[in-house]
Amino acid sequence: MHRAAAIWVALFTWTPPALAQDAPQPAPSPSYGHDPGADAPGHGPEEADAPAAEPDAPEPDRLGPGEGPSDVRFVDAAADRVGLFSTAETHPEGTLFFSDYELLLLQAGYALTDSVQVALTGVPPVLDGQHWFLDLTVKGNIVRSEHIRAALLGSVVGVFDGDGESAWGARLGAVAQLCFDSDCWSSLSVNTNAFVTTSSYLPVLGAIGLVGRLSELVALYLEPAYMLVIGERDVFGVDGMLLTYGMRLSGTRWAVDVALLKPIGQDLATGGPFLFGVPGLALTYRTDGSARRDGSAPPAASTP
């Protein structure tokens, strides 16, 4: 009895193989807009109609004037001056720099930012009864465009004699620099300095500096300077002008200036062995600083 019932149940539940193949398949689960067949190569309208991929466009140059690795600020360790007077440029941020003029006139400084530096210049008291001085200068670049650069300077000056007496004053200056190329390798600088003291006279010293760079190593420069003295009602010039001209050999960390200093004027003209001027030597060394020299933008300029 139980065997017969089992046979009847099996007959009613068994389906022939041909019918099983024709049975309807379950509906696919919803894909929320995704076509499963689109994952296969050659399927889907999006892939068929998609345009060919274009090559990535180069990123725009984000380096501004004076920021590129070939700018004079990075290739010339003495780019912040012509001969004796300043240009409108500063050293790269984080740079320590040292200069020695004629062995006795020393300078040490540091670039606080990429546009502001401080420098202490002076003649140390090495002889008894010697007059000596110190000049603490802050220099800030305020314009750095492709062909025009400008800076302001302010300093405190102290002069000391061998008897312990001293005199103090301030020096205010401005520099405008015209660059003949985008990296300012060759330029013309106009420098003006006014010395403010307790005296009723105001000395004003002006200089024009022309730098012509022949190569990354060699540059020539010419720098005439002249002083005016402004009194209560009169303005008169010192009878004479100082002309500095010479050659500079420089790299990214060092510079050597070989120059002649020629006083020009009736009372200041020199002859004899110094017909062409008094020889002058200036040595400069600086550290590498924290500015980027690989062509990448500084951190502030890399922000989109």
Side-chain angles (χ1 to χ4, degrees):
M1 181 67 180
H2 294 288
R3 172 182 278 181
I7 292 173
W8 283 103
V9 171
L11 289 175
F12 276 105
T13 57
W14 176 74
T15 303
L19 296 178
Q21 295 177 0
D22 297 336
Q25 299 297 323
S29 59
S31 59
Y32 301 98
H34 174 69
D35 184 5
D39 295 335
H43 290 275
E46 296 181 358
E47 182 173 337
D49 299 333
E54 296 182 358
D56 294 334
E59 294 185 0
D61 185 7
R62 296 180 179 179
L63 293 176
E67 296 177 351
S70 61
D71 192 84
V72 68
R73 302 173 58 240
F74 300 101
V75 301
D76 187 350
D80 65 330
R81 61 179 172 83
V82 180
L84 299 176
F85 297 91
S86 179
T87 67
E89 269 305 347
T90 60
H91 290 284
E93 177 183 357
T95 300
L96 280 168
F97 55 95
F98 309 90
S99 294
D100 184 350
Y101 304 85
E102 300 290 352
L103 300 180
L104 290 179
L105 181 59
L106 306 178
Q107 182 184 75
Y110 180 73
L112 300 174
T113 70
D114 217 34
S115 299
V116 178
Q117 68 182 35
V118 294
L120 179 63
T121 307
V123 175
V126 295
L127 300 175
D128 292 337
Q130 170 198 332
H131 287 68
W132 58 287
F133 78 95
L134 289 175
D135 181 303
L136 180 61
T137 301
V138 178
K139 177 182 178 181
N141 174 274
I142 57 174
V143 175
R144 186 175 286 150
S145 64
E146 185 175 359
H147 293 291
I148 300 294
R149 305 185 183 189
L152 297 177
L153 302 91
S155 68
V156 177
V157 183
V159 180
F160 310 88
D161 62 15
D163 299 328
E165 298 293 331
S166 62
W168 294 88
R171 179 170 61 93
L172 303 177
V175 188
Q177 185 174 6
L178 173 64
C179 301
F180 300 140
D181 53 86
S182 59
D183 290 324
C184 214
W185 282 28
S186 299
S187 64
L188 177 68
S189 299
V190 180
N191 198 311
T192 302
N193 292 269
F195 295 86
V196 182
T197 65
T198 56
S199 171
S200 60
Y201 295 96
L202 179 66
V204 178
L205 182 62
I208 298 176
L210 178 64
V211 177
R213 183 164 288 276
L214 306 181
S215 68
E216 188 170 342
L217 176 65
V218 181
L220 302 178
Y221 63 87
L222 177 70
E223 188 178 54
Y226 188 78
M227 177 177 285
L228 292 174
V229 179
I230 302 175
E232 294 181 355
R233 295 184 178 180
D234 299 324
V235 177
F236 58 93
V238 176
D239 186 15
M241 179 177 66
L242 179 64
L243 176 64
T244 304
Y245 61 101
M247 177 179 67
R248 172 176 299 159
L249 305 177
S250 63
T252 59
R253 294 192 178 186
W254 59 272
V256 177
D257 287 16
V258 180
L260 293 172
L261 289 74
K262 175 67 174 179
I264 300 176
Q266 183 177 358
D267 298 331
L268 299 176
T270 57
F274 302 117
L275 180 61
F276 298 100
V278 179
L281 178 67
L283 308 175
T284 298
Y285 175 80
R286 71 177 182 181
T287 62
D288 210 17
S290 59
R292 300 184 180 185
R293 300 170 184 266
D294 57 358
S296 58
S302 62
T303 305

